[in-house]
Amino acid sequence: MTVQSYIRGVGSYLPPRVLTNEQLAETVDTSDAWIRERTGITQRYIASEGQNTSDLGANAAKDALFAAGMEASEIDLIIVATSTPDLTFPATATIIQEKLGITEGAAFDVQAVCSGFIYGLSVADAMIRAGSAKNVLLIGAETFSRILDWNDRTTCVLFGDGAGAMILSTTPSKEPGAGAGVMNTEIHSDGRFRDLLYVDGGPSSTQTVGKLRMVGNKVFRRAVTKLSDSMIKCSDKAGIPIPDIDWFVPHQANQRILEAVAKRLDLRRGQVVSTVAYHANTSAASIPLAMDVAIKDGRIKRGHTVMLEAFGGGFTWGSALLVY
Ligand code: UT7
C-alpha cells in the first residue's frame, strides 16, 4: 500500500494596510500606468509596524486549520518557506510553532525565495510518503516590504507582504497515483544566475540584512521558458496531460509572465488563477494566497486537478500537480 499526501485545508492572511500604485507614485518616480501596464499590479499589502513574518504565518495557519477542521495539536511537522525570517535564527517555523501552542513534532524553514512554497511542498510530500510525518503544516510567509530599497523603482513597486498555508495529511491509497492529493512535484535550481535576483546583505558576508536587487528583464525571459518546461515535465511524470488539468495557480510575479506561460502551454482563458493585481509579488506566500482565493470563491473544488508553479532567486523553479 502506498501513502499519499492529501490536502486537508488551505488558508491565508493579508495584513490590513493597502498601498496603491497612486500612493506609491507620490514618493517613488513611477506611475500607476507604468506599473499596471508592465506588471498588472494595482496595489499591495504592507505589514504593520511590529507585525512580523511569523505573525502573518501564524494567522494563515489558523485559517488553514479552521478550513481543515483540525486542532493545532494534531500537527507533527511545520515547514515555513520564507526569505524574510523574523530573525537570522531560530527558524520562523519554531516561532510559529510556539504561537500556535504546539510543543511536539518538528519545525524548520526552507529557503528557495519565490519557489519556496513548491520546495516546501516537495519536502512535505516526501516526508509524508516516507512515513516521517502525518500532518504537515506548510506555510509561505513574507514581509518583503522590509527588504525593499524604496528608492529603487525597478524593484519596490513589485512586491508585497502576506502569508498562505496548506495542511497535508497522510492518506493510504491502494495504487500509486490513485485518489486525491499530491501527484507529482518537480524542483530545480541553477546557481549561475544568482546575481540576477538576490539580497545584498547577510549575516556571514556583510553582517547586515541587505536590500533586494534584481535585473528584472533577464529574470522574466528565463522564468517563462523554465516554468513551461517544468510544468510539461511535471504533468508527463504524473500521467495527467496539460489539457486535462482544471486550474493553474502560478507564483504571482507579473501578469505578463502568467500570460506568456499560458500562451506557450495553450491554456484555456480563465484557467489561470491570478491575484497579482491585488497582492503583487508576495514571494513564497503567493501560491497558497492565490489558491486560497480560488477555493474560497468556489472556483477550485474537491476533485479538481491543480498545477502550481514558481520561479525565483537562485535561480530556483519548480511545479507541483495536485488533485484537490
Ligand atoms: O518573483 C521572482 C521572479 N521575479 C520576476 O519574475 C520578475 C520578472 N521581471 C519583471 O516582471 C519585469 O522585467 C519588470 C516588471 C521588473 C520590468 O518590466 P520590463 O518590461 O522588463 O522593463 P525593463 O526593466 O526593461 O525597463 C523598461 C523601462 C526602463 O527605462 P528605459 O531604460 O527604457 O528608459 C526602466 O528604467 O522602464 C523603466 N522602469 C520604470 N519606469 C517607471 C523600470 N521600473 C519602472 C517603474 N516606473 N517602476
Side-chain angles (χ1 to χ4, degrees), residues 252-317:
Q252 308 284 319
N254 185 323
Q255 184 61 30
R256 289 190 296 134
I257 296 182
L258 270 56
E259 283 165 14
V261 171
K263 195 169 167 204
R264 269 176 170 250
L265 297 186
D266 205 16
L267 306 185
R268 293 187 299 278
R269 213 181 155 78
Q271 254 192 311
V272 181
V273 175
S274 174
T275 53
V276 67
Y278 309 105
H279 298 167
N281 183 345
T282 57
S283 193
S286 89
I287 290 175
L289 265 166
M291 188 162 167
D292 193 39
V293 166
I295 291 170
K296 286 194 171 120
D297 70 18
R299 275 178 289 173
I300 298 179
K301 293 188 171 56
R302 286 290 176 192
H304 282 176
T305 43
V306 184
M307 175 74 89
L308 315 178
E309 51 93 324
F311 185 93
F315 289 148
T316 55
W317 65 98

Side-chain angles (χ1 to χ4, degrees), residues 65 71-78 93-107 135 137:
L65 284 165
E71 297 295 328
S73 57
E74 294 175 71
I75 300 296
D76 59 357
L77 175 62
I78 302 174
T94 61
I95 303 173
I96 293 176
Q97 182 188 32
E98 191 267 334
K99 287 186 170 157
L100 296 176
I102 303 172
T103 53
E104 289 178 19
N135 294 309
L137 170 59

